[in-house]
Amino acid sequence: MAQSIYMAGVLVGALVLGGLSDRFGRKAMLMWSYLQLGVMGTCTAFAPNYASYCVFRFAGGMALSGFGLSIACLVVEWIPTPYRAITVAITGFAYTLGQIILAGVAYAVPHWRWLQLSVSLPFFVFLLYSWWLAESARWLVLSGKAERAVKVLQRVATFNNRKEEGEKITVEMLKSNMKEELAALKSSYTVSDLVRTPVIRHIFFCLSIVWFSISFSYYGLAMDLQNFGVSIYLIQVIFGAVDFPAKVVVTVSLSYVGRRLSLVVALFLAGLVIVANIFVPTELQTVRTALAVIGKGCLSASFNCVFLYTTELYPTPIRQTGLGFGSTMARVGGIVAPLVKMMDEYYPFLPPAVYGVAPVVAAVAAAFLPETLNAPLPDTIEEVENRPKRKPTGDPKEKIALQPQDGPPLKECGVSPGPGGGTMAFASLLEHVGGMGRFQVLSVLLLSLPVLMMASHNLLQNFTAATSDHWCRLRPEANATGLDPEALLRVWVPRGERCRRFVTPQWWLLEANGSAPNGSGLETEPCGDGWSYDRSVFTSTIITEWDLVCSSRGLKQLAQSLYMAGVLVGGVFGGLSDRFGRRSVLTWCYLQMAAMGTCSSFAPTFTVYCLFRFLTGMAFSGVVLNSVSLSLEWMPTHMRALVGTFMGYCYTAGQFLLAGIAFAVPDWRQLQLVVSLPFFGFFLYSWWLTESARWLVMVGRSHQALRELQKVARINGKKEEGDKLDIETLRSHMEKEMTSSRTRHTMVDLVRTPVLRRISFCLCFVWFSTSFAYYGLAMDLQNFEFDIYIIQLIFGAVDFPAKLMSILTITYVGRRFTQAFALILAGLAILANILVPQDLRTLRTALAVFGKGCLAASFNCVFLYTGELYPTVIRQTGMGLANTMSRLGSIMAPLVKMAGELFPVLPFIIYGAAPVVSGLVATFLPETRNMALPETVEEVEGRSRSQKDEAQHLQVPLRPTQPH
């Protein structure tokens, strides 16, 4: 009932605040919603009785709806057409990440009042910075506030380094460019405008069905976590994590296939998967949970799509009203969902049937909606009504000319695209100061030493969280019987049982031919006094210290996923490195890795341990990203593949090192300390490392770049050549790059232009799948039924021949072929395990080892390939995005492995299919063999155009020649 009242508040908020936003502005309603949510959430935490609690939750629900709607409109109305899908996807990912954060916060704060307070107080901070947000210029113009719209646009232009262009905007220009929209405006709009005209009425009814069905099924699954038979915290993390791949796929589909097809397919898949649960036996709890998680992921993708789709279908004057009504229908679905779940007590099959049929019906309704891919946002009702009657012109009206229409148009970009092909400017400078000299060799060695220890942190939980044989600890009075430990176990613990013990001792079990007493039910109970462990192999692990077994066994995988989540978040070091330098961020990451790793070894509780491991993971990501960039940017073109492979071999050798250290140090705290302390040494010598001269030039620090180049020349024995360099020489060699560096670059540049957008999407697939399958195999050594130390050595040893083969094909065949071939071969090897009988354990292990070797070769290639595909100005940002996708894969890997408890084939199917799909995607990437590193975005775009022109020039006509 309390949840339904909250959803009723969300419903009322959508009806009321949506219309108010169209009347008083997006920003004003957003600020009010932040304030209301902060105040009502705080009041809920101090509610004196249940009735007050429900009232405050109702008011909090209203505010939630208000700020959700306002954010959606503000984002869409400020974003150009090509980037709306990716922007809405990012906001969707933020919501997904919030689900994972909720699991952590709820685990750390078990008291409901403190938990309610923890999730409410941040909204007061959001209220404070919301004053900085800009009101929608579209809404201002269409509300008759053109003067204020001009000021807002000028402010945006200043912030985007387009101050001169912004100062040219006047009220007359704005009104001239939006003459039609202003003429079509009414004095006021109401909710009746949603059904007054035929096209909008058609859109309104279809969207109402879609919104209701998505929310109905989504909350029917998401609000019933306790019925999955797994830790509620773990299920919350799984339900949150599945949104990441779902939203990545739907974002690509939205951008390239279209809104309508993406929504229809996502809804159909969700419905079919949920309905399939009706036919799965109840005892297969893991399979039922897996299907529900997949369905929830499809519904999350549908939510992502319908938010964007709704804002693009409704015109500006009633956009917020239409979005509000759609949200209202969603809240009605959210209210009805828990009521349908109540029927489960009488008709268990009915809830999944209803939850599954609803999305299928909604998919049929969505098929009748008009497509909006690459269409400008409509500003009037008449524009929506007339849109189906005309074909898109390909001239989006969002590109508003900033002069009167009789004058010459302004250029939209400050830098015109350069000519195709790569520049050898910096490469020639490197050759001038020594090429592959002493400096390069020494730098690679110093950067590779930390990489040697990276495997120790990445795969550490194979040993620090190894599971030993365990059983219930006996009652205290049991030790007074004088029996030996083996006899006590026989009397108190059922044979083969790990999680329960007898309520009373079963003395008859000590007799050779003993039988149970008459009327004895052999009652058992949970392990109320903890567990005892076999410490013959591992003297101490986090499992034995914090009893992460039985009902808490899922926390082992949670700890690894949180570490990988830290590696994911550490992708921010990519963007920071593009802003503050490779060396500075690398030095900080060495220090953070050392400090947080050391703190992990002294963690007093599991929660604190997970926190420090999360921060260690962040530092790991920064070390990897900056080590690769620093090494590649100082290397001559012909040596990059060799250097990248050498660093890959260092990681491989680190896996051998980990096996030896773990064998010598069986205590987990000491092992954690041993692999962390060396990073203090790496931190100290990192001050000697030289900042990337490429980066220094690109950020306008030419004098420092000159000093670094002269330092390199001196170390390489080329002092005279270094002294001849001066600022003029440097600028003449890199004139185009320095011109481009004046343009500010952000994460958006990864998808702003067509070639880079294709590169980014393809690399996201490759990185996610490689990491997903790699860690799915590498983090589960105990399941191979061999000595764990030997398996660690074998898994490390296979990397040597795999990476040797990859370096040969990378150098002589090409990056693209190597990447695609390694991924497809890895996927086929893993999939082959499905056909191998379970008793052929050695063969199954051999196939897994072969697959892991192919994935290691794929990693070796993709690190180099990514660095060569992205230009210097956004290389580290691109590496950060790729690393983020990789860590998403590594987070998902242990969660998928859990499905193997009841359905052993499923993990191998997923681990195998992912690389095969990515191998096919990799074929769409451009080749980079023997090509100089690109320095600018324009160079990447121009290189692709020149390759296309060359391909067209080489085409041979297949028509028969005409007779003379």
Side-chain angles (χ1 to χ4, degrees), residues 732-763:
S732 64
H733 272 77
M734 302 191 72
E735 182 178 357
K736 187 172 69 173
E737 291 81 355
M738 295 177 72
T739 302
S740 176
S741 70
R742 299 189 186 103
T743 304
R744 183 178 178 183
H745 294 279
T746 65
M747 179 74 77
V748 178
D749 289 292
L750 297 176
V751 294
R752 188 189 304 276
T753 53
V755 176
L756 277 175
R757 184 161 57 243
R758 173 163 55 89
I759 289 172
S760 296
F761 280 128
C762 291
L763 285 177

Short mmCIF file of all heavy atoms in Angstrom, two decimals, residues 732-763:
data_model
loop_
_atom_site.label_atom_id
_atom_site.label_comp_id
_atom_site.label_asym_id
_atom_site.label_seq_id
_atom_site.Cartn_x
_atom_site.Cartn_y
_atom_site.Cartn_z
N SER A 732 56.31 25.15 -36.96
CA SER A 732 56.20 24.90 -38.40
C SER A 732 55.90 23.42 -38.67
O SER A 732 55.20 23.09 -39.63
CB SER A 732 57.50 25.30 -39.10
OG SER A 732 58.58 24.48 -38.66
N HIS A 733 56.41 22.53 -37.81
CA HIS A 733 56.15 21.11 -37.98
C HIS A 733 54.72 20.73 -37.59
O HIS A 733 54.15 19.81 -38.15
CB HIS A 733 57.13 20.28 -37.14
CG HIS A 733 58.41 19.97 -37.85
ND1 HIS A 733 59.42 20.90 -38.00
CD2 HIS A 733 58.85 18.83 -38.46
CE1 HIS A 733 60.42 20.35 -38.65
NE2 HIS A 733 60.10 19.10 -38.95
N MET A 734 54.18 21.46 -36.61
CA MET A 734 52.88 21.06 -36.05
C MET A 734 51.87 22.20 -36.12
O MET A 734 51.06 22.39 -35.22
CB MET A 734 53.05 20.58 -34.61
CG MET A 734 54.01 19.40 -34.48
SD MET A 734 53.97 18.65 -32.86
CE MET A 734 52.41 17.81 -32.90
N GLU A 735 51.95 22.97 -37.22
CA GLU A 735 51.08 24.14 -37.35
C GLU A 735 49.61 23.76 -37.32
O GLU A 735 48.79 24.37 -36.63
CB GLU A 735 51.41 24.88 -38.65
CG GLU A 735 50.59 26.14 -38.86
CD GLU A 735 50.99 26.86 -40.13
OE1 GLU A 735 51.94 26.39 -40.80
OE2 GLU A 735 50.36 27.87 -40.46
N LYS A 736 49.23 22.71 -38.07
CA LYS A 736 47.82 22.31 -38.14
C LYS A 736 47.33 21.82 -36.78
O LYS A 736 46.21 22.13 -36.35
CB LYS A 736 47.64 21.22 -39.20
CG LYS A 736 46.18 20.86 -39.44
CD LYS A 736 46.01 19.93 -40.62
CE LYS A 736 46.56 18.56 -40.33
NZ LYS A 736 46.26 17.60 -41.41
N GLU A 737 48.18 21.04 -36.08
CA GLU A 737 47.78 20.52 -34.78
C GLU A 737 47.61 21.63 -33.75
O GLU A 737 46.68 21.61 -32.94
CB GLU A 737 48.83 19.50 -34.28
CG GLU A 737 48.85 18.21 -35.07
CD GLU A 737 49.66 18.33 -36.36
OE1 GLU A 737 50.11 19.46 -36.66
OE2 GLU A 737 49.81 17.32 -37.06
N MET A 738 48.51 22.62 -33.77
CA MET A 738 48.41 23.72 -32.83
C MET A 738 47.19 24.58 -33.10
O MET A 738 46.56 25.11 -32.19
CB MET A 738 49.69 24.56 -32.86
CG MET A 738 50.93 23.79 -32.38
SD MET A 738 52.45 24.74 -32.52
CE MET A 738 52.21 25.91 -31.20
N THR A 739 46.83 24.72 -34.39
CA THR A 739 45.61 25.45 -34.73
C THR A 739 44.39 24.73 -34.17
O THR A 739 43.48 25.33 -33.60
CB THR A 739 45.49 25.61 -36.26
OG1 THR A 739 46.64 26.27 -36.75
CG2 THR A 739 44.23 26.38 -36.61
N SER A 740 44.38 23.41 -34.34
CA SER A 740 43.25 22.62 -33.85
C SER A 740 43.18 22.63 -32.34
O SER A 740 42.10 22.52 -31.76
CB SER A 740 43.37 21.18 -34.34
OG SER A 740 42.36 20.38 -33.83
N SER A 741 44.33 22.77 -31.66
CA SER A 741 44.34 22.70 -30.20
C SER A 741 43.61 23.86 -29.56
O SER A 741 43.25 23.80 -28.39
CB SER A 741 45.79 22.66 -29.69
OG SER A 741 46.41 23.92 -29.89
N ARG A 742 43.38 24.94 -30.33
CA ARG A 742 42.66 26.08 -29.76
C ARG A 742 41.18 25.76 -29.55
O ARG A 742 40.47 26.48 -28.86
CB ARG A 742 42.81 27.29 -30.68
CG ARG A 742 44.26 27.72 -30.86
CD ARG A 742 44.37 29.04 -31.60
NE ARG A 742 45.75 29.35 -31.88
CZ ARG A 742 46.33 29.20 -33.06
NH1 ARG A 742 45.62 28.72 -34.06
NH2 ARG A 742 47.59 29.51 -33.24
N THR A 743 40.71 24.71 -30.20
CA THR A 743 39.33 24.27 -30.01
C THR A 743 39.24 23.40 -28.77
O THR A 743 40.02 22.47 -28.60
CB THR A 743 38.84 23.47 -31.24
OG1 THR A 743 39.00 24.28 -32.41
CG2 THR A 743 37.38 23.08 -31.07
N ARG A 744 38.29 23.68 -27.93
CA ARG A 744 38.13 22.90 -26.70
C ARG A 744 37.48 21.56 -27.03
O ARG A 744 36.50 21.48 -27.76
CB ARG A 744 37.24 23.66 -25.71
CG ARG A 744 37.07 22.96 -24.37
CD ARG A 744 36.23 23.81 -23.46
NE ARG A 744 36.02 23.15 -22.19
CZ ARG A 744 35.26 23.65 -21.21
NH1 ARG A 744 34.66 24.82 -21.39
NH2 ARG A 744 35.12 23.01 -20.08
N HIS A 745 38.04 20.48 -26.50
CA HIS A 745 37.54 19.14 -26.80
C HIS A 745 36.94 18.51 -25.55
O HIS A 745 37.48 18.67 -24.45
CB HIS A 745 38.66 18.26 -27.35
CG HIS A 745 39.18 18.72 -28.68
ND1 HIS A 745 38.55 18.42 -29.86
CD2 HIS A 745 40.26 19.49 -29.00
CE1 HIS A 745 39.22 18.97 -30.87
NE2 HIS A 745 40.25 19.62 -30.37
N THR A 746 35.84 17.79 -25.74
CA THR A 746 35.14 17.14 -24.63
C THR A 746 34.76 15.72 -25.05
O THR A 746 35.05 15.28 -26.16
CB THR A 746 33.85 17.91 -24.26
OG1 THR A 746 32.94 17.84 -25.38
CG2 THR A 746 34.14 19.36 -23.94
N MET A 747 34.09 15.02 -24.15
CA MET A 747 33.62 13.67 -24.43
C MET A 747 32.70 13.63 -25.66
O MET A 747 32.67 12.64 -26.38
CB MET A 747 32.89 13.14 -23.20
CG MET A 747 32.33 11.74 -23.34
SD MET A 747 33.58 10.44 -23.27
CE MET A 747 33.91 10.39 -21.50
N VAL A 748 32.00 14.74 -25.91
CA VAL A 748 31.06 14.78 -27.04
C VAL A 748 31.80 14.61 -28.36
O VAL A 748 31.24 14.09 -29.33
CB VAL A 748 30.27 16.11 -27.02
CG1 VAL A 748 29.34 16.21 -28.22
CG2 VAL A 748 29.49 16.23 -25.73
N ASP A 749 33.09 15.00 -28.42
CA ASP A 749 33.84 14.88 -29.66
C ASP A 749 34.02 13.44 -30.10
O ASP A 749 34.33 13.18 -31.26
CB ASP A 749 35.22 15.55 -29.50
CG ASP A 749 35.11 17.06 -29.43
OD1 ASP A 749 34.75 17.66 -30.45
OD2 ASP A 749 35.34 17.64 -28.37
N LEU A 750 33.83 12.50 -29.19
CA LEU A 750 33.93 11.08 -29.56
C LEU A 750 32.78 10.65 -30.47
O LEU A 750 32.89 9.64 -31.17
CB LEU A 750 33.94 10.20 -28.30
CG LEU A 750 35.12 10.40 -27.34
CD1 LEU A 750 34.93 9.54 -26.11
CD2 LEU A 750 36.43 10.06 -28.03
N VAL A 751 31.68 11.40 -30.46
CA VAL A 751 30.53 11.04 -31.29
C VAL A 751 30.05 12.19 -32.15
O VAL A 751 29.02 12.08 -32.81
CB VAL A 751 29.36 10.53 -30.41
CG1 VAL A 751 29.70 9.23 -29.72
CG2 VAL A 751 28.95 11.57 -29.37
N ARG A 752 30.80 13.30 -32.18
CA ARG A 752 30.34 14.48 -32.91
C ARG A 752 30.42 14.28 -34.43
O ARG A 752 29.53 14.69 -35.16
CB ARG A 752 31.17 15.70 -32.50
CG ARG A 752 30.63 17.01 -33.07
CD ARG A 752 31.59 18.16 -32.84
NE ARG A 752 31.92 18.32 -31.45
CZ ARG A 752 31.17 19.00 -30.57
NH1 ARG A 752 30.03 19.54 -30.97
NH2 ARG A 752 31.54 19.13 -29.32
N THR A 753 31.48 13.65 -34.90
CA THR A 753 31.69 13.49 -36.34
C THR A 753 31.47 12.03 -36.74
O THR A 753 31.66 11.12 -35.93
CB THR A 753 33.12 13.93 -36.71
OG1 THR A 753 34.05 13.23 -35.87
CG2 THR A 753 33.29 15.43 -36.52
N PRO A 754 31.08 11.79 -38.00
CA PRO A 754 30.63 10.43 -38.38
C PRO A 754 31.68 9.33 -38.24
O PRO A 754 31.38 8.25 -37.75
CB PRO A 754 30.19 10.60 -39.84
CG PRO A 754 30.78 11.88 -40.30
CD PRO A 754 30.90 12.75 -39.11
N VAL A 755 32.92 9.60 -38.64
CA VAL A 755 33.95 8.55 -38.57
C VAL A 755 34.27 8.21 -37.12
O VAL A 755 34.33 7.04 -36.73
CB VAL A 755 35.21 8.97 -39.34
CG1 VAL A 755 36.30 7.91 -39.18
CG2 VAL A 755 34.89 9.20 -40.81
N LEU A 756 34.49 9.24 -36.31
CA LEU A 756 34.79 8.99 -34.89
C LEU A 756 33.61 8.36 -34.18
O LEU A 756 33.79 7.55 -33.26
CB LEU A 756 35.19 10.30 -34.19
CG LEU A 756 36.65 10.70 -34.34
CD1 LEU A 756 36.89 12.07 -33.72
CD2 LEU A 756 37.57 9.67 -33.70
N ARG A 757 32.40 8.72 -34.59
CA ARG A 757 31.22 8.10 -33.97
C ARG A 757 31.20 6.60 -34.27
O ARG A 757 30.94 5.78 -33.37
CB ARG A 757 29.96 8.78 -34.49
CG ARG A 757 28.69 8.28 -33.85
CD ARG A 757 27.54 9.26 -34.03
NE ARG A 757 27.27 9.58 -35.42
CZ ARG A 757 27.40 10.80 -35.94
NH1 ARG A 757 27.79 11.80 -35.20
NH2 ARG A 757 27.11 11.01 -37.21
N ARG A 758 31.49 6.23 -35.50
CA ARG A 758 31.52 4.80 -35.85
C ARG A 758 32.65 4.09 -35.09
O ARG A 758 32.46 2.98 -34.58
CB ARG A 758 31.72 4.65 -37.36
CG ARG A 758 31.94 3.22 -37.82
CD ARG A 758 31.70 3.09 -39.31
NE ARG A 758 32.52 4.02 -40.07
CZ ARG A 758 33.75 3.75 -40.51
NH1 ARG A 758 34.30 2.59 -40.25
NH2 ARG A 758 34.41 4.64 -41.22
N ILE A 759 33.81 4.73 -35.01
CA ILE A 759 34.93 4.14 -34.28
C ILE A 759 34.56 3.92 -32.81
O ILE A 759 34.82 2.85 -32.23
CB ILE A 759 36.17 5.04 -34.40
CG1 ILE A 759 36.73 4.97 -35.82
CG2 ILE A 759 37.24 4.65 -33.38
CD1 ILE A 759 37.84 5.97 -36.09
N SER A 760 33.93 4.93 -32.20
CA SER A 760 33.58 4.83 -30.77
C SER A 760 32.60 3.70 -30.51
O SER A 760 32.77 2.92 -29.57
CB SER A 760 33.01 6.17 -30.28
OG SER A 760 33.97 7.19 -30.35
N PHE A 761 31.56 3.61 -31.34
CA PHE A 761 30.56 2.56 -31.11
C PHE A 761 31.17 1.17 -31.31
O PHE A 761 30.92 0.25 -30.53
CB PHE A 761 29.36 2.75 -32.05
CG PHE A 761 28.40 3.80 -31.57
CD1 PHE A 761 27.98 4.82 -32.40
CD2 PHE A 761 27.89 3.76 -30.28
CE1 PHE A 761 27.09 5.80 -31.96
CE2 PHE A 761 27.01 4.72 -29.84
CZ PHE A 761 26.61 5.75 -30.67
N CYS A 762 31.97 1.00 -32.35
CA CYS A 762 32.58 -0.31 -32.60
C CYS A 762 33.54 -0.69 -31.47
O CYS A 762 33.54 -1.83 -31.00
CB CYS A 762 33.32 -0.30 -33.94
SG CYS A 762 32.24 -0.21 -35.38
N LEU A 763 34.36 0.26 -31.04
CA LEU A 763 35.31 -0.04 -29.96
C LEU A 763 34.59 -0.34 -28.65
O LEU A 763 35.08 -1.14 -27.85
CB LEU A 763 36.28 1.14 -29.77
CG LEU A 763 37.37 1.27 -30.84
CD1 LEU A 763 38.22 2.50 -30.58
CD2 LEU A 763 38.26 0.03 -30.86
#
